[in-house]
Amino acid sequence: MTWYERRQLRRIERWFESTDPALASVLAGSDPTVPATRRAPARVWSALAGITLVVGGPAVHLPLAFVGCLLLMTAACLHVTRT
């Protein structure tokens, strides 16, 4: 990026911060609505529920294994994005 582009980008960022701080924080990567400490249990519980359904689901009803796979994929996405 050129010097002029960096300067323009900083100017746009400051404009966002002054006009809409919530949008600026979302664009910066920090979501003020959900604290990060409340997201970690969601990742853990979705992973544990997914493993349980993948392992024990077919014993009860076969589509539960598919639901378990979906939960495991959700947990993986949450873990990778750390949202």
Side-chain angles (χ1 to χ4, degrees), residues 28-80:
S30 61
D31 187 6
T33 58
V34 181
T37 56
R38 290 181 49 188
R39 294 182 195 141
R43 288 193 307 262
V44 171
W45 284 110
S46 62
L48 290 175
I51 291 170
T52 302
L53 287 175
V54 166
V55 173
V60 178
H61 194 56
L62 191 58
L64 287 177
F66 178 71
V67 173
C69 289
L70 290 177
L71 274 171
L72 284 174
M73 288 189 323
T74 302
C77 289
L78 289 173
H79 179 71
V80 168

Side-chain angles (χ1 to χ4, degrees), residues 5-59:
E5 291 170 336
R6 283 191 299 256
R7 192 177 94 195
Q8 291 291 47
L9 181 60
R10 277 190 240 116
R11 190 170 63 93
I12 292 170
E13 288 171 346
R14 283 193 306 267
W15 179 79
F16 268 124
E17 290 170 356
S18 66
T19 58
D20 195 357
L23 177 63
S25 66
V26 169
L27 292 176
S30 61
D31 187 6
T33 58
V34 181
T37 56
R38 290 181 49 188
R39 294 182 195 141
R43 288 193 307 262
V44 171
W45 284 110
S46 62
L48 290 175
I51 291 170
T52 302
L53 287 175
V54 166
V55 173

